[in-house]
Amino acid sequence: MIPIFSAYGPALECLSKPPARLFKCTLAIDKSSGFAHNKVMQTSKQPVAQLQWSHFRKQFETRADSKYRYNFTPFIPDKRWHKIAPTLERFRQSETGEGRIVKEMRKSKLPFLDEDYLASVKLFVQEEGRHARVLGGMLDACGYLRTPKHFGVEIFAGLRGLFGPTFKLTILLAAELNASVFYKLLTKNIQEHELHYSLCQIVEDEVKHIHFHSEFYRRLKRYSPIRFTFYMGLFRYLFAPLAFWGVWFSNLTSWRALPVTVGEARQLYRISKKSTLYSIMH
């Protein structure tokens, strides 16, 4: 089994009920069949313990030594791949351009941030760059040429720079949430061994990014409840759904080719979003 999803939050079976306990929901990929399934493990009633920034820094440093694959065996793309490749290119474009956030977070002077946090953010940006290289390798393998930045990617980049670093981080959290959703859908439907395994690695990283950013908001909630409520409102009701529908409609051709239904995508989005919110609030 390759574990590719681990997040605290309500499980599939309890979505219709108020969450009374904390669950650890693990989505795994069976190497032999590639079929995604959920394993739900009930854990403590206690809230999620605050993690030190050094914990995340060590995680990022450990993954920095991981052997990401950047070169793939060339193959002749079929009609399906001709429709999927543009989506991979847009995802590759969206994995870049976040380098300035380290300086911006340093200038914010929030009391609950330290050097370990800033180092973690820098490593997070580098990891996103590695994802872009992995996706670029996949596109090179099928002979897909690079294209100018998609207008959706440009809008996303422009929105991030409108206000302060917490505003940018809120947009990034929405982006990571939706990246985990759509990469999972790609992983489930792309079964070519080399590509499938590398997509699994990206999914695992994206979910860990959500955990990392969630810790920031847990601390912001204690430091400034009003600011926390404002930014969580933006995330929950504006940025997350806007990102979901933006990715869905701008890549309709790919989702039809895989095939992925809007119902399947929305279900996974709702589960991931509810899990993320639950982990932040508790």
Side-chain angles (χ1 to χ4, degrees):
M1 305 290 286
I2 307 173
I4 65 168
F5 179 72
S6 180
Y8 288 98
L12 271 170
E13 289 82 353
C14 63
L15 282 177
S16 59
K17 305 174 183 178
R21 290 176 177 264
L22 185 65
F23 289 87
K24 188 173 184 180
C25 184
T26 302
L27 179 66
I29 292 290
D30 188 314
K31 284 193 290 188
S32 61
S33 66
F35 183 77
H37 62 279
N38 284 299
K39 286 195 278 185
V40 180
M41 293 174 289
Q42 187 172 327
T43 61
S44 171
K45 293 182 180 180
Q46 299 300 321
V48 179
Q50 177 174 304
L51 297 172
Q52 299 299 317
W53 293 125
S54 57
H55 166 81
F56 293 101
R57 182 176 184 173
K58 289 176 183 176
Q59 277 195 342
F60 279 114
E61 288 172 344
T62 301
R63 295 203 298 277
D65 297 329
S66 300
K67 294 183 179 180
Y68 289 86
R69 185 171 190 143
Y70 304 118
N71 298 304
F72 298 88
T73 305
F75 62 95
I76 299 175
D78 54 18
K79 291 182 179 180
R80 178 172 173 262
W81 260 99
H82 280 297
K83 295 177 180 180
I84 296 172
T87 293
L88 293 180
E89 169 63 5
R90 288 167 197 154
F91 284 11
R92 185 194 67 80
Q93 293 173 2
S94 67
E95 295 281 4
T96 59
E98 297 160 0
R100 289 176 298 185
I101 193 171
V102 181
K103 292 181 179 179
E104 293 171 358
M105 295 307 294
R106 185 182 295 276
K107 290 178 181 178
S108 70
K109 297 182 178 179
L110 290 168
F112 54 84
L113 305 183
D114 58 18
E115 288 300 319
D116 283 325
Y117 174 79
L118 296 173
S120 298
V121 173
K122 185 176 181 180
L123 291 167
F124 153 72
V125 173
Q126 292 173 359
E127 197 161 88
E128 294 286 89
R130 286 194 289 273
H131 294 173
R133 288 180 60 193
V134 171
L135 295 172
M138 293 181 184
L139 293 168
D140 291 341
C142 70
Y144 187 83
L145 300 177
R146 302 291 188 272
T147 60
K149 276 198 173 182
H150 188 261
F151 73 91
V153 178
E154 294 282 11
I155 292 173
F156 172 68
L159 283 173
R160 287 185 310 199
L162 282 179
F163 300 104
T166 307
F167 183 86
K168 174 181 282 192
L169 199 66
T170 307
I171 294 178
L172 283 177
L173 179 62
E176 296 296 322
L177 168 67
N178 282 282
S180 72
V181 169
F182 287 104
Y183 278 129
K184 286 171 198 169
L185 293 171
L186 286 170
T187 301
K188 180 181 176 182
N189 290 278
I190 294 177
Q191 293 299 317
E192 290 85 351
H193 178 70
E194 293 178 338
L195 310 182
H196 177 82
Y197 182 75
S198 291
L199 286 170
C200 284
Q201 284 184 306
I202 293 177
V203 171
E204 184 177 7
D205 289 348
E206 296 293 350
V207 174
K208 288 177 180 177
H209 294 172
I210 295 174
H211 291 176
F212 171 56
H213 295 316
S214 294
E215 181 62 29
F216 174 91
Y217 290 97
R218 281 194 288 269
R219 297 186 184 215
L220 180 64
K221 180 174 66 171
R222 290 187 289 271
Y223 171 69
S224 177
I226 294 176
R227 289 175 65 184
F228 169 80
T229 302
F230 172 73
Y231 286 114
M232 278 297 98
L234 287 178
F235 167 74
R236 184 173 186 175
Y237 299 110
L238 181 61
F239 296 153
L242 188 64
F244 173 82
W245 290 114
V247 174
W248 177 260
F249 283 116
S250 62
N251 298 281
L252 267 178
T253 303
S254 296
W255 309 135
R256 289 169 179 167
L258 281 171
V260 173
T261 66
V262 67
E264 182 181 4
R266 286 184 65 190
Q267 182 189 33
L268 188 53
Y269 165 76
R270 287 195 297 266
I271 293 169
S272 299
K273 181 181 173 183
K274 195 166 185 177
S275 175
T276 299
L277 289 169
Y278 191 75
S279 71
I280 291 172
M281 297 302 295
H282 296 78

